[in-house]
Amino acid sequence: MIELEEVTFRYAPGGPHDAGFGISVKRMRIGPGERVAIVGPSGSGKTTLLHLMAGILPPDTGTVRLGGQALGERSDAQRRRLRLSHIGMVFQEFELLEYLSARDNITLPARLAGVGSRALLHERALSLARIAGVDHVLHRKPRQLSQGERQRIAICRALSTHPTVLLCDEPTGNLDP
């Protein structure tokens, strides 16, 4: 399902990280149904690796494949469409849009991908929110939510499109045990 081969990535000087920071992956394959945890200290490249796997960042060298499709050979727009249709992403910093309600944040990826009617998307959002225990806050904006509620909404959003791949960056960091 996800394959990385001879992948390297380095941040540019003056960018968000030290100029010398980068990662290198010789070979990694994650098959259908597999669950993999990437662990390491803060700043070791876990988020960068997830962003490479999701096609958010293109590798400097090597190949990242999703379902056999090489992400590096695609434009930003093509990678975005592929991500919308196949990848659910839970970001470390939630990435909820402040001007949208929790419900609209959950349905956003599916709306952008053009899948399902508005009524169907709202039903899916309600179903996911019930499971996550946040159905009572669907009308609120992110700034009106606790950290844990934001985290749960972000998880619901990642699951809203029935993704074939779910990538999570510290998905339980703001949740009670």
Side-chain angles (χ1 to χ4, degrees):
M1 179 82 43
I2 295 180
E3 296 173 274
L4 288 85
E5 191 165 330
E6 302 292 337
V7 169
T8 61
F9 178 85
R10 281 198 131 15
Y11 284 99
H17 299 280
D18 293 335
F21 177 78
I23 64 170
S24 176
V25 177
K26 182 85 171 150
R27 174 169 280 162
M28 175 187 237
R29 183 179 189 284
I30 303 170
E34 283 190 78
R35 293 182 180 144
V36 176
I38 300 165
V39 296
S42 294
S44 63
K46 299 179 302 291
T47 296
T48 300
L49 179 58
L50 286 176
H51 286 191
L52 285 163
M53 293 166 74
I56 295 169
L57 294 173
D60 291 333
T61 63
T63 307
V64 178
R65 287 187 190 87
L66 174 63
Q69 300 181 53
L71 298 180
E73 297 172 2
R74 302 187 175 291
S75 69
D76 283 343
Q78 290 171 323
R79 288 194 317 268
R80 192 175 310 113
R81 280 193 298 277
L82 192 64
R83 197 168 40 253
L84 281 170
S85 59
H86 293 286
I87 298 175
M89 185 87 182
V90 179
F91 295 93
Q92 185 175 10
E93 299 293 327
F94 314 131
E95 304 299 336
L96 300 176
L97 298 179
E98 289 295 331
Y99 60 88
L100 294 179
S101 68
R103 178 191 316 268
D104 289 340
N105 268 286
I106 292 171
T107 62
L108 183 62
R111 286 187 295 142
L112 291 173
V115 295
S117 68
R118 189 169 183 85
L120 182 64
L121 297 180
H122 280 218
E123 181 61 34
R124 174 83 172 141
L126 179 59
S127 175
L128 288 166
R130 279 187 183 136
I131 293 167
V134 289
D135 53 311
H136 63 287
V137 300
L138 286 176
H139 63 285
R140 294 184 192 165
K141 302 277 199 263
R143 69 182 166 279
Q144 299 169 311
L145 303 174
S146 71
Q147 291 288 93
E149 289 167 336
R150 289 179 193 182
Q151 185 76 65
R152 291 170 193 271
I153 294 298
I155 292 169
C156 291
R157 180 189 54 204
L159 295 170
S160 69
T161 60
H162 301 280
T164 54
V165 174
L166 183 62
L167 298 174
C168 303
D169 194 352
E170 298 190 30
T172 60
N174 290 291
L175 300 177
D176 295 333

